[in-house]
Every structure is written in C-alpha cells, then in structure tokens.
C-alpha cells in the first residue's frame, strides 16, 4: 500500500511537470525569426522618430496621440521580448515624448534611465497598467489582447498588451517566449 502512494505521488509530480512545460515551453526560434517578429509587431516604418503615425496594423484608434503611444508601447514590448535593453530605451524615450500624463511619463522614463533589462521589465508592468487605462474607450476598431504570464517576477505574475493573440512574453524573452495566455480582449 505504501509503494502505491509513492507511485501516485510520482505520477502527480510528472503530470504537474508536464503541464508546466507545455504551458511555458521555451521557443527555439532563430534570431532571424525574432527580428521578423520585431518588425511585424512594431506595425510602423523603420524611422521610429517619424511623426507621421501609421495606425497599428489591425487596430484603429479614436485619436492619433493614442495610436502613436500604443505604437511606442509595442516597440518597448518587442524590444523586451528580444531582450534588447537599448531598443527598449529608444522606444521608452519616444513614448515619453508623446505622453502628456506626468505620472505615465515618469514611469516610462524609468525604462530609458537604465540599461538593466530586468529593471526595464519590472517598470514595464506599470507602463502596461497605465497604457491599458489610456486604451479604455480609445479603440475605434480591432482588438488589443491583454496577456498574462503567471511565472513572471518569481511567480507573482504580470500582464502586457499585444495586438496579436500569439504569446510573445516580454518578461522572459527567449527563455520562455510563449509562456502566458490571453487574459482579456480589449475592443
């Protein structure tokens, strides 16, 4: 009887391990594919400093300021997915320039004031919260996906926004690129 209990515990542990691996499996994509994802997620031309804002692909906004802010937010998110601190700083600097909200600007500045990718990722959680507030009622068409990784920041979890359903985790980058799920669809 005692051996049966140990066997049952082993089966449960194997099942838990398998579920964890399946839900947060690591991605083995090449750097080329990551660069392609970066450019497709960016949703605008290569000149990031351009003031001619294109609407983010598939998502339309009620005003140009929100559209531009969301583009720069996606720029930061994609840089964090690619574990590129310098590109995250560049996106944050552009986002800070287009926002008039002092609290939001200060939060965004905490990303471009550091070279530490983990500090940038931590600050990005608050940027996400404030960006979600900005998007409330600002979409005229399309969908934005609020995504969630339960394992981020020592299993406390964290959210981010994306214009695509496919998970690209900014908190782990290529270590656990597909860890997460769509928690909410903003329309």
């Amino acid at each position: 009887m005692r051996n049966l209990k140990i066997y049952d515990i082993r089966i449960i542990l194997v099942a838990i391990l398998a579920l964890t691996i399946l839900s947060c499996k690591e991605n083995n994509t090449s750097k080329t594919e990551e660069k392609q994802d970066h450019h497709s997620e960016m949703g605008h031309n290569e000149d990031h400093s351009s003031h001619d804002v294109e609407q983010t692909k598939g998502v339309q906004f009620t005003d140009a300021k929100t559209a531009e802010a969301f583009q720069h937010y996606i720029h930061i998110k994609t840089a964090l997915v690619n574990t590129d601190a310098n590109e995250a700083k560049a996106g944050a600097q552009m986002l800070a320039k287009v926002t008039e909200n002092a609290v939001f600007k200060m939060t965004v500045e905490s990303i471009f004031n550091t070279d530490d990718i983990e500090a940038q990722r931590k600050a990005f959680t608050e940027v996400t919260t404030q960006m979600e507030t900005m998007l409330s009622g600002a979409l005229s068409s399309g969908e934005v996906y609020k995504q969630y990784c339960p394992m981020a920041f020592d299993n406390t979890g964290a959210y981010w926004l994306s214009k695509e359903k496919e998970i690209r985790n900014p908190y782990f980058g290529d270590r656990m690129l597909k860890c997460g799920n769509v928690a909410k669809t903003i329309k």
Side-chain angles (χ1 to χ4, degrees):
M1 190 87 168
R2 183 172 185 242
N3 286 339
L4 183 58
K5 288 181 182 178
I6 291 172
Y7 180 75
D8 290 341
I9 291 171
R10 286 182 185 161
I11 288 175
I12 291 169
L13 289 175
V14 168
I16 290 170
L17 180 62
L19 287 172
T20 301
I21 289 170
L22 286 174
S23 68
C24 293
K25 65 183 176 182
E26 292 182 18
N27 186 18
N28 294 324
T29 59
S30 68
K31 289 291 178 188
T32 303
E33 289 171 343
E34 288 178 15
K35 292 288 183 192
Q36 289 171 346
D37 287 344
H38 169 77
H39 294 299
S40 70
E41 184 78 6
M42 293 288 289
H44 55 57
N45 61 28
E46 289 299 311
D47 181 11
H48 302 303
S49 63
S50 171
H51 292 291
D52 297 328
V53 179
E54 294 179 24
Q55 292 287 333
T56 302
K57 184 180 174 185
V59 181
Q60 301 292 315
F61 297 89
T62 56
D63 66 272
K65 280 272 196 205
T66 304
E68 187 175 9
F70 187 66
Q71 282 183 291
H72 297 313
Y73 171 88
I74 292 297
H75 181 171
I76 298 165
K77 184 203 91 143
T78 303
L80 295 175
V81 167
N82 293 328
T83 313
D84 187 339
N86 288 330
E87 197 61 35
K89 288 173 75 165
Q93 191 167 26
M94 289 182 274
L95 180 53
K97 285 180 183 177
V98 300
T99 185
E100 295 169 7
N101 180 313
V103 174
F104 190 35
K105 185 181 293 261
M106 193 170 78
T107 304
V108 172
E109 287 174 350
S110 66
I111 292 175
F112 75 78
N113 285 333
T114 183
D115 292 320
D116 180 353
I117 193 80
E118 295 308 319
Q120 290 175 333
R121 287 176 167 147
K122 187 68 177 164
F124 188 68
T125 62
E126 183 58 31
V127 171
T128 296
T129 300
Q130 293 180 29
M131 179 57 68
E132 183 179 9
T133 300
M134 184 185 291
L135 293 181
S136 180
L139 271 68
S140 58
S141 69
E143 297 177 336
V144 172
Y145 303 97
K146 182 177 182 180
Q147 299 176 335
Y148 179 74
C149 174
M151 297 178 71
F153 306 110
D154 295 322
N155 297 316
T156 59
Y159 292 95
W160 70 93
L161 303 171
S162 179
K163 63 182 182 63
E164 299 172 349
K165 276 187 179 179
E166 186 174 8
I167 301 296
R168 291 288 184 256
N169 190 321
Y171 301 116
F172 285 108
D174 62 357
R175 291 180 292 150
M176 290 198 300
L177 186 64
K178 295 184 178 183
C179 180
N181 60 15
V182 175
K184 177 181 173 184
T185 301
I186 303 168
K187 298 180 181 192

